[in-house]
Amino acid sequence: MRKQSTYRPKRTSPPMLINRGLINDALETRERMIAAAFSGGWAGEPHYDELADMRNVLTIAGAHKDDQQILGFCHAMSMVLHNIRMRYAETRRMGVSGAERQMLSEFCGIYADFWLRQSVGFYERCCEELNRAMKINKEDA
């Protein structure tokens, strides 16, 4: 009779590359369509909200990883989001300038590349933290 090992590998979530890789084309197309909506002038509040959520979850992840490049890029994206919000307040339309359009396109690529290198568990923790922060802000308002 053979002895069986008592070693059991620790259960961790698979890398995002595996999980997201299965549906990456659909996700990346959706993320890029959000940027295209602003470029095309047909973006609405749901597009803005989703873009802000993408930036917020990436900011949380960058803070956890202490990644200054990601945090700097997220700060630059917050300026783009602010400009979009100000334009919307003045004109009731969401649009972007040429530099902002390029920034949105670059943001979608960096966002996808960053999450492909992370675990699904880390992504879920960052999303949960964002949801907690949003819930706290709603309660305070």
Side-chain angles (χ1 to χ4, degrees):
M1 178 186 228
R2 282 181 35 178
K3 283 188 172 181
Q4 290 191 1
S5 172
T6 58
Y7 171 74
R8 299 287 179 254
K10 182 179 173 186
R11 282 214 170 273
T12 60
S13 60
M16 186 71 90
L17 181 59
I18 294 170
N19 282 348
R20 183 177 167 125
L22 298 173
I23 57 170
N24 189 52
D25 291 343
L27 285 175
E28 193 163 358
T29 299
R30 181 172 176 229
E31 292 161 357
R32 291 198 181 277
M33 286 305 293
I34 292 168
F38 288 100
S39 300
W42 48 274
E45 291 179 23
H47 294 100
Y48 181 86
D49 292 342
E50 189 143 356
L51 187 62
D53 286 344
M54 287 168 61
R55 196 253 330 166
N56 291 340
V57 78
L58 191 60
T59 301
I60 291 168
H64 278 294
K65 297 275 185 177
D66 197 26
D67 188 334
Q68 296 303 314
Q69 287 180 324
I70 293 293
L71 291 174
F73 193 73
C74 288
H75 178 69
M77 268 306 294
S78 66
M79 289 185 243
V80 171
L81 290 170
H82 176 74
N83 291 344
I84 292 170
R85 188 179 324 131
M86 291 297 111
R87 256 187 234 108
Y88 182 73
E90 294 170 5
T91 65
R92 303 306 292 173
R93 296 193 71 202
M94 291 192 191
V96 290
S97 68
E100 292 167 344
R101 179 181 305 137
Q102 185 176 359
M103 183 73 162
L104 285 174
S105 178
E106 199 170 319
F107 174 72
C108 290
I110 289 173
Y111 182 83
D113 289 343
F114 178 82
W115 287 115
L116 282 172
R117 295 186 316 244
Q118 308 305 318
S119 71
V120 175
F122 180 59
Y123 176 74
E124 290 171 348
R125 284 192 309 272
C126 291
C127 288
E128 288 170 7
E129 193 168 324
L130 177 62
N131 288 335
R132 271 196 309 272
M134 302 278 274
K135 184 179 177 182
I136 289 170
N137 286 339
K138 283 183 183 180
E139 290 173 357
D140 289 343

mmCIF file of all heavy atoms in Angstrom, residues 96-139:
data_model
loop_
_atom_site.group_PDB
_atom_site.id
_atom_site.type_symbol
_atom_site.label_atom_id
_atom_site.label_comp_id
_atom_site.label_asym_id
_atom_site.label_seq_id
_atom_site.Cartn_x
_atom_site.Cartn_y
_atom_site.Cartn_z
ATOM 1 N N VAL A 96 -14.623 64.715 -25.531
ATOM 2 C CA VAL A 96 -13.224 64.837 -25.121
ATOM 3 C C VAL A 96 -12.434 65.567 -26.205
ATOM 4 O O VAL A 96 -12.819 65.591 -27.365
ATOM 5 C CB VAL A 96 -12.587 63.449 -24.864
ATOM 6 C CG1 VAL A 96 -13.161 62.808 -23.630
ATOM 7 C CG2 VAL A 96 -12.737 62.532 -26.051
ATOM 8 N N SER A 97 -11.324 66.150 -25.787
ATOM 9 C CA SER A 97 -10.400 66.781 -26.727
ATOM 10 C C SER A 97 -9.503 65.705 -27.335
ATOM 11 O O SER A 97 -9.574 64.533 -26.944
ATOM 12 C CB SER A 97 -9.552 67.836 -26.005
ATOM 13 O OG SER A 97 -8.677 67.203 -25.085
ATOM 14 N N GLY A 98 -8.650 66.096 -28.250
ATOM 15 C CA GLY A 98 -7.751 65.139 -28.895
ATOM 16 C C GLY A 98 -6.803 64.464 -27.917
ATOM 17 O O GLY A 98 -6.607 63.251 -27.957
ATOM 18 N N ALA A 99 -6.220 65.247 -27.007
ATOM 19 C CA ALA A 99 -5.291 64.683 -26.023
ATOM 20 C C ALA A 99 -6.030 63.769 -25.049
ATOM 21 O O ALA A 99 -5.519 62.719 -24.656
ATOM 22 C CB ALA A 99 -4.579 65.798 -25.269
ATOM 23 N N GLU A 100 -7.243 64.170 -24.681
ATOM 24 C CA GLU A 100 -8.034 63.340 -23.775
ATOM 25 C C GLU A 100 -8.467 62.044 -24.456
ATOM 26 O O GLU A 100 -8.494 60.992 -23.824
ATOM 27 C CB GLU A 100 -9.260 64.118 -23.294
ATOM 28 C CG GLU A 100 -8.905 65.280 -22.383
ATOM 29 C CD GLU A 100 -10.056 66.235 -22.152
ATOM 30 O OE1 GLU A 100 -11.041 66.195 -22.901
ATOM 31 O OE2 GLU A 100 -9.950 67.029 -21.204
ATOM 32 N N ARG A 101 -8.768 62.110 -25.731
ATOM 33 C CA ARG A 101 -9.135 60.913 -26.485
ATOM 34 C C ARG A 101 -7.977 59.917 -26.487
ATOM 35 O O ARG A 101 -8.169 58.716 -26.267
ATOM 36 C CB ARG A 101 -9.487 61.291 -27.922
ATOM 37 C CG ARG A 101 -9.854 60.097 -28.777
ATOM 38 C CD ARG A 101 -10.169 60.503 -30.208
ATOM 39 N NE ARG A 101 -11.211 61.525 -30.223
ATOM 40 C CZ ARG A 101 -11.174 62.603 -30.999
ATOM 41 N NH1 ARG A 101 -10.170 62.804 -31.817
ATOM 42 N NH2 ARG A 101 -12.147 63.481 -30.966
ATOM 43 N N GLN A 102 -6.767 60.422 -26.695
ATOM 44 C CA GLN A 102 -5.585 59.556 -26.689
ATOM 45 C C GLN A 102 -5.361 58.976 -25.294
ATOM 46 O O GLN A 102 -5.021 57.802 -25.143
ATOM 47 C CB GLN A 102 -4.358 60.328 -27.142
ATOM 48 C CG GLN A 102 -3.125 59.476 -27.273
ATOM 49 C CD GLN A 102 -1.949 60.260 -27.831
ATOM 50 O OE1 GLN A 102 -2.061 61.439 -28.131
ATOM 51 N NE2 GLN A 102 -0.828 59.595 -27.952
ATOM 52 N N MET A 103 -5.592 59.776 -24.272
ATOM 53 C CA MET A 103 -5.426 59.316 -22.896
ATOM 54 C C MET A 103 -6.429 58.204 -22.571
ATOM 55 O O MET A 103 -6.071 57.209 -21.931
ATOM 56 C CB MET A 103 -5.620 60.494 -21.947
ATOM 57 C CG MET A 103 -5.414 60.167 -20.519
ATOM 58 S SD MET A 103 -3.683 59.930 -20.181
ATOM 59 C CE MET A 103 -3.684 60.111 -18.434
ATOM 60 N N LEU A 104 -7.666 58.350 -23.010
ATOM 61 C CA LEU A 104 -8.680 57.317 -22.774
ATOM 62 C C LEU A 104 -8.298 56.010 -23.460
ATOM 63 O O LEU A 104 -8.430 54.935 -22.879
ATOM 64 C CB LEU A 104 -10.044 57.772 -23.287
ATOM 65 C CG LEU A 104 -10.771 58.813 -22.451
ATOM 66 C CD1 LEU A 104 -12.040 59.259 -23.161
ATOM 67 C CD2 LEU A 104 -11.090 58.285 -21.081
ATOM 68 N N SER A 105 -7.810 56.107 -24.675
ATOM 69 C CA SER A 105 -7.397 54.911 -25.404
ATOM 70 C C SER A 105 -6.232 54.227 -24.713
ATOM 71 O O SER A 105 -6.212 53.004 -24.549
ATOM 72 C CB SER A 105 -7.023 55.286 -26.833
ATOM 73 O OG SER A 105 -6.572 54.165 -27.528
ATOM 74 N N GLU A 106 -5.273 55.019 -24.275
ATOM 75 C CA GLU A 106 -4.115 54.471 -23.567
ATOM 76 C C GLU A 106 -4.524 53.870 -22.224
ATOM 77 O O GLU A 106 -4.014 52.829 -21.818
ATOM 78 C CB GLU A 106 -3.069 55.567 -23.365
ATOM 79 C CG GLU A 106 -1.707 55.049 -23.063
ATOM 80 C CD GLU A 106 -0.655 56.146 -23.121
ATOM 81 O OE1 GLU A 106 -0.719 56.993 -24.017
ATOM 82 O OE2 GLU A 106 0.209 56.140 -22.233
ATOM 83 N N PHE A 107 -5.473 54.520 -21.559
ATOM 84 C CA PHE A 107 -5.958 54.021 -20.279
ATOM 85 C C PHE A 107 -6.552 52.621 -20.422
ATOM 86 O O PHE A 107 -6.286 51.742 -19.604
ATOM 87 C CB PHE A 107 -6.997 54.975 -19.686
ATOM 88 C CG PHE A 107 -7.649 54.454 -18.438
ATOM 89 C CD1 PHE A 107 -6.944 54.406 -17.253
ATOM 90 C CD2 PHE A 107 -8.956 53.991 -18.455
ATOM 91 C CE1 PHE A 107 -7.529 53.911 -16.090
ATOM 92 C CE2 PHE A 107 -9.549 53.502 -17.310
ATOM 93 C CZ PHE A 107 -8.839 53.468 -16.125
ATOM 94 N N CYS A 108 -7.340 52.408 -21.464
ATOM 95 C CA CYS A 108 -7.962 51.091 -21.674
ATOM 96 C C CYS A 108 -6.900 50.007 -21.857
ATOM 97 O O CYS A 108 -7.026 48.910 -21.320
ATOM 98 C CB CYS A 108 -8.892 51.126 -22.878
ATOM 99 S SG CYS A 108 -10.372 52.102 -22.581
ATOM 100 N N GLY A 109 -5.834 50.323 -22.581
ATOM 101 C CA GLY A 109 -4.759 49.354 -22.771
ATOM 102 C C GLY A 109 -4.011 49.060 -21.485
ATOM 103 O O GLY A 109 -3.734 47.898 -21.169
ATOM 104 N N ILE A 110 -3.689 50.104 -20.739
ATOM 105 C CA ILE A 110 -2.966 49.924 -19.475
ATOM 106 C C ILE A 110 -3.832 49.179 -18.472
ATOM 107 O O ILE A 110 -3.349 48.306 -17.750
ATOM 108 C CB ILE A 110 -2.498 51.286 -18.923
ATOM 109 C CG1 ILE A 110 -1.363 51.819 -19.811
ATOM 110 C CG2 ILE A 110 -2.077 51.193 -17.472
ATOM 111 C CD1 ILE A 110 -0.925 53.222 -19.496
ATOM 112 N N TYR A 111 -5.115 49.501 -18.424
ATOM 113 C CA TYR A 111 -6.042 48.832 -17.512
ATOM 114 C C TYR A 111 -6.077 47.331 -17.786
ATOM 115 O O TYR A 111 -5.935 46.516 -16.876
ATOM 116 C CB TYR A 111 -7.437 49.454 -17.672
ATOM 117 C CG TYR A 111 -8.489 48.884 -16.755
ATOM 118 C CD1 TYR A 111 -8.611 49.349 -15.455
ATOM 119 C CD2 TYR A 111 -9.378 47.903 -17.188
ATOM 120 C CE1 TYR A 111 -9.586 48.841 -14.612
ATOM 121 C CE2 TYR A 111 -10.345 47.389 -16.353
ATOM 122 C CZ TYR A 111 -10.453 47.863 -15.065
ATOM 123 O OH TYR A 111 -11.403 47.360 -14.221
ATOM 124 N N ALA A 112 -6.239 46.964 -19.044
ATOM 125 C CA ALA A 112 -6.295 45.539 -19.405
ATOM 126 C C ALA A 112 -4.958 44.855 -19.118
ATOM 127 O O ALA A 112 -4.935 43.761 -18.545
ATOM 128 C CB ALA A 112 -6.661 45.384 -20.878
ATOM 129 N N ASP A 113 -3.855 45.490 -19.484
ATOM 130 C CA ASP A 113 -2.536 44.886 -19.249
ATOM 131 C C ASP A 113 -2.259 44.694 -17.763
ATOM 132 O O ASP A 113 -1.710 43.676 -17.357
ATOM 133 C CB ASP A 113 -1.428 45.751 -19.863
ATOM 134 C CG ASP A 113 -1.412 45.702 -21.374
ATOM 135 O OD1 ASP A 113 -2.026 44.773 -21.951
ATOM 136 O OD2 ASP A 113 -0.794 46.594 -21.982
ATOM 137 N N PHE A 114 -2.633 45.679 -16.948
ATOM 138 C CA PHE A 114 -2.394 45.575 -15.515
ATOM 139 C C PHE A 114 -3.160 44.389 -14.932
ATOM 140 O O PHE A 114 -2.594 43.576 -14.190
ATOM 141 C CB PHE A 114 -2.817 46.864 -14.800
ATOM 142 C CG PHE A 114 -2.637 46.801 -13.309
ATOM 143 C CD1 PHE A 114 -1.405 47.036 -12.732
ATOM 144 C CD2 PHE A 114 -3.709 46.474 -12.482
ATOM 145 C CE1 PHE A 114 -1.238 46.954 -11.347
ATOM 146 C CE2 PHE A 114 -3.548 46.396 -11.111
ATOM 147 C CZ PHE A 114 -2.311 46.642 -10.541
ATOM 148 N N TRP A 115 -4.439 44.271 -15.258
ATOM 149 C CA TRP A 115 -5.246 43.220 -14.659
ATOM 150 C C TRP A 115 -4.904 41.846 -15.191
ATOM 151 O O TRP A 115 -5.117 40.854 -14.493
ATOM 152 C CB TRP A 115 -6.736 43.516 -14.803
ATOM 153 C CG TRP A 115 -7.138 44.615 -13.886
ATOM 154 C CD1 TRP A 115 -7.593 45.842 -14.228
ATOM 155 C CD2 TRP A 115 -7.070 44.608 -12.452
ATOM 156 N NE1 TRP A 115 -7.824 46.595 -13.105
ATOM 157 C CE2 TRP A 115 -7.508 45.861 -12.003
ATOM 158 C CE3 TRP A 115 -6.672 43.666 -11.502
ATOM 159 C CZ2 TRP A 115 -7.576 46.196 -10.655
ATOM 160 C CZ3 TRP A 115 -6.735 44.004 -10.162
ATOM 161 C CH2 TRP A 115 -7.179 45.255 -9.746
ATOM 162 N N LEU A 116 -4.337 41.758 -16.376
ATOM 163 C CA LEU A 116 -3.919 40.450 -16.886
ATOM 164 C C LEU A 116 -2.768 39.869 -16.069
ATOM 165 O O LEU A 116 -2.562 38.665 -16.049
ATOM 166 C CB LEU A 116 -3.520 40.547 -18.358
ATOM 167 C CG LEU A 116 -4.680 40.598 -19.340
ATOM 168 C CD1 LEU A 116 -4.168 40.883 -20.747
ATOM 169 C CD2 LEU A 116 -5.479 39.311 -19.315
ATOM 170 N N ARG A 117 -2.015 40.723 -15.387
ATOM 171 C CA ARG A 117 -0.870 40.262 -14.592
ATOM 172 C C ARG A 117 -1.215 40.028 -13.126
ATOM 173 O O ARG A 117 -0.343 39.690 -12.330
ATOM 174 C CB ARG A 117 0.255 41.299 -14.682
ATOM 175 C CG ARG A 117 0.832 41.470 -16.051
ATOM 176 C CD ARG A 117 2.021 42.410 -16.014
ATOM 177 N NE ARG A 117 1.737 43.565 -15.181
ATOM 178 C CZ ARG A 117 1.676 44.821 -15.606
ATOM 179 N NH1 ARG A 117 1.891 45.100 -16.846
ATOM 180 N NH2 ARG A 117 1.424 45.804 -14.780
ATOM 181 N N GLN A 118 -2.475 40.223 -12.746
ATOM 182 C CA GLN A 118 -2.872 40.098 -11.344
ATOM 183 C C GLN A 118 -3.735 38.856 -11.157
ATOM 184 O O GLN A 118 -4.224 38.275 -12.110
ATOM 185 C CB GLN A 118 -3.659 41.338 -10.899
ATOM 186 C CG GLN A 118 -2.985 42.657 -11.190
ATOM 187 C CD GLN A 118 -1.586 42.779 -10.629
ATOM 188 O OE1 GLN A 118 -1.336 42.367 -9.498
ATOM 189 N NE2 GLN A 118 -0.671 43.334 -11.405
ATOM 190 N N SER A 119 -3.939 38.498 -9.909
ATOM 191 C CA SER A 119 -4.822 37.357 -9.620
ATOM 192 C C SER A 119 -6.269 37.832 -9.584
ATOM 193 O O SER A 119 -6.554 39.012 -9.372
ATOM 194 C CB SER A 119 -4.462 36.723 -8.275
ATOM 195 O OG SER A 119 -4.837 37.577 -7.220
ATOM 196 N N VAL A 120 -7.161 36.910 -9.784
ATOM 197 C CA VAL A 120 -8.587 37.225 -9.739
ATOM 198 C C VAL A 120 -8.972 37.647 -8.322
ATOM 199 O O VAL A 120 -9.769 38.565 -8.131
ATOM 200 C CB VAL A 120 -9.428 36.015 -10.194
ATOM 201 C CG1 VAL A 120 -10.912 36.282 -10.026
ATOM 202 C CG2 VAL A 120 -9.113 35.679 -11.639
ATOM 203 N N GLY A 121 -8.387 36.996 -7.328
ATOM 204 C CA GLY A 121 -8.665 37.355 -5.942
ATOM 205 C C GLY A 121 -8.317 38.798 -5.633
ATOM 206 O O GLY A 121 -9.062 39.494 -4.927
ATOM 207 N N PHE A 122 -7.193 39.265 -6.159
ATOM 208 C CA PHE A 122 -6.780 40.653 -5.940
ATOM 209 C C PHE A 122 -7.780 41.600 -6.598
ATOM 210 O O PHE A 122 -8.177 42.602 -6.004
ATOM 211 C CB PHE A 122 -5.368 40.880 -6.483
ATOM 212 C CG PHE A 122 -4.860 42.276 -6.292
ATOM 213 C CD1 PHE A 122 -4.746 42.824 -5.028
ATOM 214 C CD2 PHE A 122 -4.487 43.044 -7.379
ATOM 215 C CE1 PHE A 122 -4.281 44.116 -4.842
ATOM 216 C CE2 PHE A 122 -4.024 44.335 -7.213
ATOM 217 C CZ PHE A 122 -3.919 44.867 -5.946
ATOM 218 N N TYR A 123 -8.204 41.277 -7.810
ATOM 219 C CA TYR A 123 -9.198 42.100 -8.501
ATOM 220 C C TYR A 123 -10.495 42.158 -7.693
ATOM 221 O O TYR A 123 -11.075 43.231 -7.509
ATOM 222 C CB TYR A 123 -9.467 41.540 -9.900
ATOM 223 C CG TYR A 123 -10.543 42.271 -10.652
ATOM 224 C CD1 TYR A 123 -10.312 43.529 -11.199
ATOM 225 C CD2 TYR A 123 -11.806 41.708 -10.807
ATOM 226 C CE1 TYR A 123 -11.302 44.199 -11.880
ATOM 227 C CE2 TYR A 123 -12.804 42.375 -11.489
ATOM 228 C CZ TYR A 123 -12.548 43.617 -12.031
ATOM 229 O OH TYR A 123 -13.534 44.283 -12.701
ATOM 230 N N GLU A 124 -10.938 41.007 -7.198
ATOM 231 C CA GLU A 124 -12.175 40.964 -6.417
ATOM 232 C C GLU A 124 -12.055 41.762 -5.124
ATOM 233 O O GLU A 124 -12.993 42.455 -4.724
ATOM 234 C CB GLU A 124 -12.562 39.515 -6.122
ATOM 235 C CG GLU A 124 -13.021 38.771 -7.352
ATOM 236 C CD GLU A 124 -13.210 37.286 -7.129
ATOM 237 O OE1 GLU A 124 -12.771 36.762 -6.067
ATOM 238 O OE2 GLU A 124 -13.788 36.640 -8.015
ATOM 239 N N ARG A 125 -10.882 41.686 -4.464
ATOM 240 C CA ARG A 125 -10.677 42.469 -3.236
ATOM 241 C C ARG A 125 -10.729 43.967 -3.533
ATOM 242 O O ARG A 125 -11.309 44.741 -2.765
ATOM 243 C CB ARG A 125 -9.358 42.100 -2.577
ATOM 244 C CG ARG A 125 -9.401 40.770 -1.839
ATOM 245 C CD ARG A 125 -8.183 40.563 -0.952
ATOM 246 N NE ARG A 125 -6.910 40.772 -1.612
ATOM 247 C CZ ARG A 125 -6.233 39.843 -2.278
ATOM 248 N NH1 ARG A 125 -6.714 38.626 -2.387
ATOM 249 N NH2 ARG A 125 -5.067 40.117 -2.829
ATOM 250 N N CYS A 126 -10.125 44.381 -4.631
ATOM 251 C CA CYS A 126 -10.139 45.799 -4.998
ATOM 252 C C CYS A 126 -11.561 46.259 -5.311
ATOM 253 O O CYS A 126 -11.963 47.361 -4.912
ATOM 254 C CB CYS A 126 -9.224 46.055 -6.189
ATOM 255 S SG CYS A 126 -7.470 45.864 -5.811
ATOM 256 N N CYS A 127 -12.340 45.421 -5.996
ATOM 257 C CA CYS A 127 -13.731 45.758 -6.292
ATOM 258 C C CYS A 127 -14.561 45.848 -5.016
ATOM 259 O O CYS A 127 -15.388 46.756 -4.866
ATOM 260 C CB CYS A 127 -14.335 44.740 -7.250
ATOM 261 S SG CYS A 127 -13.700 44.870 -8.930
ATOM 262 N N GLU A 128 -14.328 44.921 -4.095
ATOM 263 C CA GLU A 128 -15.045 44.959 -2.816
ATOM 264 C C GLU A 128 -14.702 46.225 -2.040
ATOM 265 O O GLU A 128 -15.580 46.848 -1.432
ATOM 266 C CB GLU A 128 -14.710 43.724 -1.987
ATOM 267 C CG GLU A 128 -15.324 42.451 -2.495
ATOM 268 C CD GLU A 128 -14.777 41.211 -1.801
ATOM 269 O OE1 GLU A 128 -14.004 41.337 -0.824
ATOM 270 O OE2 GLU A 128 -15.129 40.105 -2.249
ATOM 271 N N GLU A 129 -13.442 46.605 -2.057
ATOM 272 C CA GLU A 129 -13.027 47.814 -1.349
ATOM 273 C C GLU A 129 -13.670 49.050 -1.978
ATOM 274 O O GLU A 129 -14.104 49.957 -1.267
ATOM 275 C CB GLU A 129 -11.501 47.934 -1.377
ATOM 276 C CG GLU A 129 -10.984 48.964 -0.423
ATOM 277 C CD GLU A 129 -9.482 48.884 -0.243
ATOM 278 O OE1 GLU A 129 -8.926 47.781 -0.240
ATOM 279 O OE2 GLU A 129 -8.864 49.962 -0.113
ATOM 280 N N LEU A 130 -13.746 49.081 -3.303
ATOM 281 C CA LEU A 130 -14.412 50.189 -3.984
ATOM 282 C C LEU A 130 -15.896 50.230 -3.618
ATOM 283 O O LEU A 130 -16.434 51.299 -3.339
ATOM 284 C CB LEU A 130 -14.237 50.076 -5.502
ATOM 285 C CG LEU A 130 -14.961 51.138 -6.334
ATOM 286 C CD1 LEU A 130 -14.451 52.530 -6.002
ATOM 287 C CD2 LEU A 130 -14.799 50.850 -7.815
ATOM 288 N N ASN A 131 -16.542 49.078 -3.595
ATOM 289 C CA ASN A 131 -17.960 49.025 -3.227
ATOM 290 C C ASN A 131 -18.188 49.503 -1.798
ATOM 291 O O ASN A 131 -19.159 50.212 -1.518
ATOM 292 C CB ASN A 131 -18.516 47.610 -3.400
ATOM 293 C CG ASN A 131 -18.670 47.237 -4.858
ATOM 294 O OD1 ASN A 131 -18.814 48.100 -5.722
ATOM 295 N ND2 ASN A 131 -18.624 45.950 -5.151
ATOM 296 N N ARG A 132 -17.278 49.113 -0.883
ATOM 297 C CA ARG A 132 -17.389 49.583 0.508
ATOM 298 C C ARG A 132 -17.245 51.100 0.571
ATOM 299 O O ARG A 132 -17.997 51.776 1.273
ATOM 300 C CB ARG A 132 -16.335 48.922 1.385
ATOM 301 C CG ARG A 132 -16.765 47.627 1.987
ATOM 302 C CD ARG A 132 -15.852 47.196 3.137
ATOM 303 N NE ARG A 132 -14.435 47.203 2.785
ATOM 304 C CZ ARG A 132 -13.790 46.183 2.233
ATOM 305 N NH1 ARG A 132 -14.438 45.075 1.963
ATOM 306 N NH2 ARG A 132 -12.514 46.263 1.969
ATOM 307 N N ALA A 133 -16.285 51.647 -0.157
ATOM 308 C CA ALA A 133 -16.066 53.090 -0.154
ATOM 309 C C ALA A 133 -17.282 53.828 -0.737
ATOM 310 O O ALA A 133 -17.693 54.868 -0.222
ATOM 311 C CB ALA A 133 -14.813 53.436 -0.949
ATOM 312 N N MET A 134 -17.863 53.269 -1.793
ATOM 313 C CA MET A 134 -19.041 53.905 -2.397
ATOM 314 C C MET A 134 -20.224 53.854 -1.426
ATOM 315 O O MET A 134 -20.993 54.819 -1.337
ATOM 316 C CB MET A 134 -19.402 53.198 -3.709
ATOM 317 C CG MET A 134 -18.298 53.188 -4.726
ATOM 318 S SD MET A 134 -18.175 54.670 -5.670
ATOM 319 C CE MET A 134 -19.337 54.306 -6.944
ATOM 320 N N LYS A 135 -20.372 52.737 -0.713
ATOM 321 C CA LYS A 135 -21.460 52.585 0.243
ATOM 322 C C LYS A 135 -21.308 53.599 1.382
ATOM 323 O O LYS A 135 -22.278 54.233 1.789
ATOM 324 C CB LYS A 135 -21.481 51.172 0.793
ATOM 325 C CG LYS A 135 -22.629 50.891 1.710
ATOM 326 C CD LYS A 135 -22.604 49.452 2.199
ATOM 327 C CE LYS A 135 -23.725 49.199 3.179
ATOM 328 N NZ LYS A 135 -23.696 47.827 3.688
ATOM 329 N N ILE A 136 -20.089 53.776 1.869
ATOM 330 C CA ILE A 136 -19.827 54.727 2.944
ATOM 331 C C ILE A 136 -20.149 56.144 2.463
ATOM 332 O O ILE A 136 -20.755 56.934 3.183
ATOM 333 C CB ILE A 136 -18.380 54.611 3.434
ATOM 334 C CG1 ILE A 136 -18.197 53.295 4.196
ATOM 335 C CG2 ILE A 136 -18.007 55.804 4.317
ATOM 336 C CD1 ILE A 136 -16.764 52.952 4.527
ATOM 337 N N ASN A 137 -19.746 56.475 1.226
ATOM 338 C CA ASN A 137 -20.024 57.810 0.689
ATOM 339 C C ASN A 137 -21.512 58.055 0.540
ATOM 340 O O ASN A 137 -21.983 59.167 0.782
ATOM 341 C CB ASN A 137 -19.327 58.018 -0.660
ATOM 342 C CG ASN A 137 -17.832 58.221 -0.491
ATOM 343 O OD1 ASN A 137 -17.361 58.584 0.584
ATOM 344 N ND2 ASN A 137 -17.087 58.002 -1.552
ATOM 345 N N LYS A 138 -22.280 57.056 0.150
ATOM 346 C CA LYS A 138 -23.726 57.211 0.020
ATOM 347 C C LYS A 138 -24.381 57.417 1.371
ATOM 348 O O LYS A 138 -25.329 58.192 1.502
ATOM 349 C CB LYS A 138 -24.335 55.990 -0.681
ATOM 350 C CG LYS A 138 -24.116 55.989 -2.160
ATOM 351 C CD LYS A 138 -24.790 54.807 -2.804
ATOM 352 C CE LYS A 138 -24.504 54.774 -4.297
ATOM 353 N NZ LYS A 138 -25.143 53.635 -4.945
ATOM 354 N N GLU A 139 -23.874 56.732 2.390
ATOM 355 C CA GLU A 139 -24.428 56.870 3.740
ATOM 356 C C GLU A 139 -24.124 58.241 4.310
ATOM 357 O O GLU A 139 -24.932 58.798 5.045
ATOM 358 C CB GLU A 139 -23.894 55.777 4.650
ATOM 359 C CG GLU A 139 -24.429 54.397 4.322
ATOM 360 C CD GLU A 139 -23.763 53.293 5.122
ATOM 361 O OE1 GLU A 139 -22.833 53.596 5.914
ATOM 362 O OE2 GLU A 139 -24.147 52.121 4.940
#
